[in-house]
Amino acid sequence: VFVLSFSLFLEPFFVHPPNLQIWSTDLSIPVVPEVCPRSVSKESITPLKNTKHFLVSAFMDQRVQGFDIRLIGMFRRDSIQELHCFFCCADYTSETTPTKVLQHSDNFGFPFVTTDVMCRIPEKCNATHVTLLTQTRPMNGSENIWLPIRNKKTNGGAEERMDFTVCVSNLFGDYNNVLQFAQTLEMYRLLGVNRVVIYNTSCGPDLDRLLRSYSQEGFVEIVSWPIDKYMNPSRGWRFSDFGGDIHYFGQLTTLNECIYRSMERSRYVLLNDIDEIIMPYQHDNLKSLMDELQKQHPNVGVFLIENHIFPKHHFEPSGRFHLPKWSGVPGINILEHVYREDPDRKIYHPHKMIVQPRMVEQTSVHEVLQFFGQKFKVPLDVCRIVHVRVALRKLLKLEELKVDKRLWDFQEKLIPHVDKVLENLGFLQ
């Protein structure tokens, strides 16, 4: 097909109007443009042809001047190369546009890093799908793997937005902590969370059954994350200690992907692990908490919540919530653990975050990397994380821990809700 071309740096870009016939070089045979997305990726991880990189998803993002599209991927740091955006414009392909490749600053020494690729949509192109090329024009006969462009504005009016989405970055190995996970999800429901997004590489059989139940109900959104098919993911956070290709099963990539996935559908996103509960201490729910915090701090888009460990080897002595009906359910009963460590203030202590997704560009695990607006560290008496797990300060004696029974304030509703879930799945005898 004979196609006119202009320099990438000239505007407007030349594109074929949707219904225009394109003539072959002998000027006698009309050629109908091919509908472009014949091969649309249905996977959460898509190898990028002619590179060592992987693409995850593409989003409309016009918050940064000069750009329309942000592609999120995992790129090998020693192989960064010039790339070009190639668009499907409803039913025809555009000219390519130049890109800006942005490696995230946190890589913890691993060969692969979360990477954003920014580019513009050509004029008059109603872009529906995008891919990246290593050259300025597609090769003849090459089959492109297209990514759908998400977060496009619709003409049907604004979609009703949820208040709160929880992003759980990674689930892997044989994790089978059914009881704690059911308690945590039901606790979040009581606090006003609308959706929990989980990136799942693998888990134990009982937890898998629980996840499927919550997914069918619509409360949990499971994103398949088969990263172990494409690289050797690390089980730790630092390359010098754990080795591997990428930090903690691609945790940083999934957190960023979840923020963009939630950007147009959720007012707030909570970034935390599967065993952490962001718990308000002066409010009955997260909406009341955030309404007050936002009123006090209208320019803040990132709220930092301090993590507090409740060691799982210390049990509340009365046994009030040591319920026999839960004894056969795999996992930890968080209601039995009321002793809380105070962090060692002499060393770095991590936070997790509640963010307004539209005010975040890039995030790490405990801090945002690029954002608009301000951030605020929420006081401990207002909100903190309840995190039942192995002790962090293992030398502390029981009398050096604080008693914290905040979870008990919800037990009248929490226990029946958990019972119903477990009973429906056959976990209760």
Side-chain angles (χ1 to χ4, degrees), residues 84-97:
H84 308 269
C85 276
F86 186 42
F87 291 93
C88 173
C89 308
D91 58 357
Y92 66 101
T93 55
S94 72
E95 293 292 303
T96 59
T97 64

Side-chain angles (χ1 to χ4, degrees), residues 56-152:
V56 176
S57 46
F59 300 92
M60 285 289 293
D61 185 7
Q62 297 175 311
R63 297 172 302 164
V64 181
Q65 188 173 2
F67 298 105
D68 300 309
I69 296 292
R70 182 185 302 263
L71 295 100
I72 296 176
M74 296 173 286
F75 280 30
R76 191 171 172 92
R77 291 193 291 137
D78 62 5
S79 303
I80 303 299
Q81 63 211 98
E82 185 176 306
L83 295 169
H84 308 269
C85 276
F86 186 42
F87 291 93
C88 173
C89 308
D91 58 357
Y92 66 101
T93 55
S94 72
E95 293 292 303
T96 59
T97 64
T99 66
K100 185 173 184 179
V101 179
L102 303 171
Q103 298 183 60
H104 288 212
S105 56
D106 271 7
N107 57 58
F108 302 113
F110 289 94
F112 281 86
V113 62
T114 303
T115 304
D116 295 341
V117 180
M118 309 290 291
C119 60
R120 295 187 68 172
I121 299 174
E123 288 187 7
K124 300 180 182 178
C125 169
N126 177 19
T128 61
H129 298 76
V130 65
T131 190
L132 293 176
L133 305 178
T134 54
Q135 64 282 332
T136 57
R137 296 170 62 87
M139 296 177 62
N140 288 334
S142 64
E143 186 69 25
N144 298 299
I145 305 297
W146 298 90
L147 295 182
I149 298 172
R150 304 183 185 187
N151 292 353
K152 290 190 67 179

Side-chain angles (χ1 to χ4, degrees), residues 404-417:
D404 184 338
K405 298 180 180 179
R406 174 59 172 152
L407 281 170
W408 288 14
D409 294 337
F410 299 88
Q411 56 91 11
E412 285 188 10
K413 293 182 178 179
L414 178 62
I415 292 174
H417 289 188

Side-chain angles (χ1 to χ4, degrees), residues 150 162 164-171 181 185 188 193-200 211 214-215 218-224 254-255 257-263 265-266 268-274:
R150 304 183 185 187
M162 298 180 250
F164 297 98
T165 296
V166 173
C167 292
V168 176
S169 55
N170 294 83
L171 192 58
F181 188 63
L185 285 181
Y188 268 125
V193 168
N194 308 97
R195 178 76 56 83
V196 179
V197 182
I198 297 177
Y199 292 78
N200 184 20
L211 281 174
Y214 276 110
S215 176
F219 186 56
V220 168
E221 179 179 346
I222 302 174
V223 181
S224 176
T254 57
L255 286 176
E257 208 274 349
C258 194
I259 285 178
Y260 281 88
R261 176 182 290 259
S262 308
M263 194 164 285
R265 66 183 190 185
S266 189
Y268 295 101
V269 169
L270 286 65
L271 303 170
N272 54 268
D273 290 343
I274 200 167

